[in-house]
Amino acid sequence: GGLEDPFLVDHLQQGFPYCGVLPPSGSSFAPALPKAPVYDIGKLRADRVALNRIVLDSQKAEEFEDDLWASVQDDAAEGFMTPPVGIDRVDLSRVSLTRRLGVREERSSGWRTRVVDDKTASGINPATAPVDRPSHDTVDLLVFVLLALLRAGVGPLLWKRDISKAFRRVPIAVDHLDLSWVTFLYKGRAYASRHLGMPFGTTSAVYSWHRVEIGRAHV
């Protein structure tokens, strides 16, 4: 097979766009009407001081801040983020911040804290504009396959493939790393850390990972 994504190799080597107008991704994506971003990257950077102030002013103490702190430390240890530093050590005129918070959710194994970045308030998702949309099979196809197997007298078995921290394994473009900072409160102090791998919550993470998976299938 061969790669249909003309930019995939370059982005695997240099990192994937964090925001902005995303590149076309090959025939595995369906056409979509072009959508102009609310922000372009230049404006996002030009307005970052005011946007950072809004983000910092929106911070509040998190009930499960220990879980949030542990998550950042774990990601830093795996190379997905930089180690957290006090916000006073960050030049806020040179980086763009996103508020990071913890959301409690119940799973079959019990309650856990899911870490979420508010990429809308910080302008990152509004500054992202795909030119196509991922194309994938739906549950209707799964039902069709299962019914076909049952009619043939075959007892189907279901399994799923799950890649741990899949988005986090996709590198962010070097020239977008100034946009990938997050901030959070811990023990009453504001901290900041920078994403090096794609985080959950960004439009670009979904597109980047889908491109990686399709690329793997064509190699």
Side-chain angles (χ1 to χ4, degrees):
L3 290 176
E4 298 180 345
D5 184 337
F7 303 100
L8 181 59
V9 173
D10 286 343
H11 288 160
L12 286 170
Q13 294 174 335
Q14 304 169 20
F16 288 73
Y18 191 61
C19 56
V21 179
L22 302 183
S25 308
S27 62
S28 61
F29 284 63
L33 292 176
K35 180 181 178 182
V38 176
Y39 278 98
D40 61 34
I41 294 178
K43 182 172 175 56
L44 194 62
R45 287 176 169 135
D47 293 347
R48 67 181 11 154
V49 172
L51 289 171
N52 286 342
R53 179 45 51 195
I54 293 172
V55 169
L56 290 171
D57 288 346
S58 69
Q59 287 183 312
K60 60 182 180 180
E62 295 284 335
E63 182 179 0
F64 300 97
E65 62 177 16
D66 289 334
D67 293 342
L68 196 155
W69 177 261
S71 174
V72 175
Q73 294 285 1
D74 290 345
D75 272 2
E78 294 188 67
F80 302 141
M81 302 182 77
T82 59
V85 297
I87 198 69
D88 55 307
R89 295 178 56 190
V90 178
D91 184 349
L92 298 182
S93 68
R94 300 177 65 87
V95 307
S96 294
L97 298 174
T98 292
R99 181 185 168 201
R100 170 159 274 216
L101 59 155
V103 177
R104 293 292 284 177
E105 63 179 13
E106 188 175 13
R107 294 290 187 90
S108 58
S109 57
W111 286 90
R112 73 163 193 171
T113 302
R114 182 166 61 92
V115 178
V116 177
D117 296 339
D118 188 354
K119 298 296 182 183
T120 299
S122 61
I124 297 299
N125 280 345
T128 305
V131 298
D132 44 24
R133 56 186 175 83
S135 178
H136 53 78
D137 297 326
T138 67
V139 70
D140 291 339
L141 179 60
L142 176 62
V143 172
F144 173 82
V145 172
L146 290 176
L147 291 176
L149 291 172
L150 290 173
R151 291 192 188 102
V154 178
L157 294 176
L158 291 177
W159 62 278
K160 68 174 183 176
R161 181 180 64 173
D162 186 15
I163 299 177
S164 173
K165 297 188 176 181
F167 288 177
R168 308 300 274 140
R169 300 176 186 276
V170 180
I172 296 171
V174 173
D175 59 346
H176 284 183
L177 290 176
D178 63 310
L179 303 167
S180 68
W181 287 75
V182 296
T183 183
F184 56 93
L185 293 179
Y186 181 65
K187 306 300 184 184
R189 183 185 181 191
Y191 286 87
S193 175
R194 182 175 63 185
H195 286 300
L196 303 175
M198 285 288 178
F200 289 91
T202 52
T203 302
S204 54
V206 176
Y207 275 79
S208 300
W209 176 249
H210 193 69
R211 289 173 58 201
V212 170
E213 279 292 275
I214 293 298
R216 281 159 46 94
H218 282 81
V219 173

